[in-house]
Amino acid sequence: MRGSAPYFLGLFTALALVAGPAAGQGTYDPAAPGQVHASAFAAMPADLPIAVRPLDNSTDNLRLKRRFQDALASRSIPTAPDKAPLALNFETEVQETARSRRPPSLGEFKGDNRDSQVRINLWSTTQDSVTQGRRSGGDEKTGVRFILIATLDDQRTGQRLWQGQASWDGEALDEQAAYATMAPILVEQLGQTVRQRSFRLQ
């Protein structure tokens, strides 16, 4: 994990308090930094233990595995070692994103019904202009998108029963706190089909 332990504990506590209720509301807000969706392919067998398995056994993922196990236990779903009938497999991914600070513009319009004024940028090296085209690179900032993907598989038959994905657009320092918060959000959707739900971590 990047950053100090006190930073993580404080951030995680704040995230957990906000993200949990938001995910359960079932609302969709395309502007929200957090999104979750899921698909159920078959009925989830009741009372069968689930083995939680990271596809990459990194230290961070083993820590995240415990978060999944705790979330399953909170739903009274039993967990077991790898030989359990069901397996909840998960993997993480980080993507770089660019977010515009302001929309590009070739000019502006000012006025009312009696008087109006139009200003057009004909040439500029720092702004959008007619002769130089769009120059929005300086108006973008780079962020990251944390993605957590989980699948529930029947290890006896090889059938995939469910798949879910959660993502959050944030800052690099928040990586492990974001994943630790998204794990129980995905477990909330286990066995369900969810078109799109939004959540906020701050």
Side-chain angles (χ1 to χ4, degrees):
M1 174 193 164
R2 306 179 184 90
S4 63
Y7 168 84
F8 170 75
L9 291 174
L11 175 65
F12 173 72
T13 301
L15 301 192
L17 288 174
V18 178
Q25 291 173 0
T27 58
Y28 172 58
D29 175 7
Q35 305 292 336
V36 59
H37 59 87
S39 297
F41 306 115
M44 178 178 164
D47 301 323
L48 288 181
I50 297 176
V52 180
R53 301 189 310 194
L55 298 186
D56 175 4
N57 285 321
S58 66
T59 301
D60 290 336
N61 278 352
L62 291 177
R63 192 179 298 121
L64 188 55
K65 174 181 177 179
R66 290 192 290 272
R67 287 290 300 160
F68 272 107
Q69 291 171 328
D70 291 343
L72 289 167
S74 71
R75 289 189 54 183
S76 300
I77 299 176
T79 59
D82 288 345
K83 293 184 180 179
L86 306 179
L88 182 65
N89 303 296
F90 72 87
E91 61 181 323
T92 61
E93 182 180 343
V94 179
Q95 296 178 351
E96 189 174 274
T97 62
R99 301 189 296 277
S100 178
R101 291 192 179 97
R102 64 178 178 84
S105 174
L106 290 174
E108 61 179 342
F109 172 83
K110 293 181 179 180
D112 51 33
N113 291 336
R114 292 186 297 177
D115 186 24
S116 61
Q117 198 173 44
V118 176
R119 182 184 64 82
I120 298 177
N121 298 330
L122 293 178
W123 183 88
S124 175
T125 59
T126 59
Q127 303 180 56
D128 299 334
S129 66
V130 175
T131 56
Q132 299 296 311
R134 299 288 191 187
R135 304 184 66 85
S136 58
D139 292 326
E140 291 182 348
K141 58 181 179 179
T142 300
V144 288
R145 175 170 297 153
F146 305 113
I147 300 173
L148 180 58
I149 303 169
T151 61
L152 182 66
D153 301 305
D154 190 327
Q155 299 198 96
R156 302 164 301 177
T157 64
Q159 181 184 17
R160 175 149 298 171
L161 306 177
W162 173 88
Q163 179 171 326
Q165 177 175 309
S167 65
W168 180 60
D169 291 347
E171 306 298 330
L173 273 175
D174 302 338
E175 179 175 351
Q176 294 310 312
Y179 285 134
T181 305
M182 287 192 287
I185 289 175
L186 276 180
V187 171
E188 287 179 12
Q189 325 306 322
L190 192 63
Q192 305 176 50
T193 293
V194 178
R195 288 193 173 212
Q196 195 87 1
R197 289 183 183 175
S198 306
F199 59 92
R200 294 181 180 276
L201 304 183
Q202 58 185 7

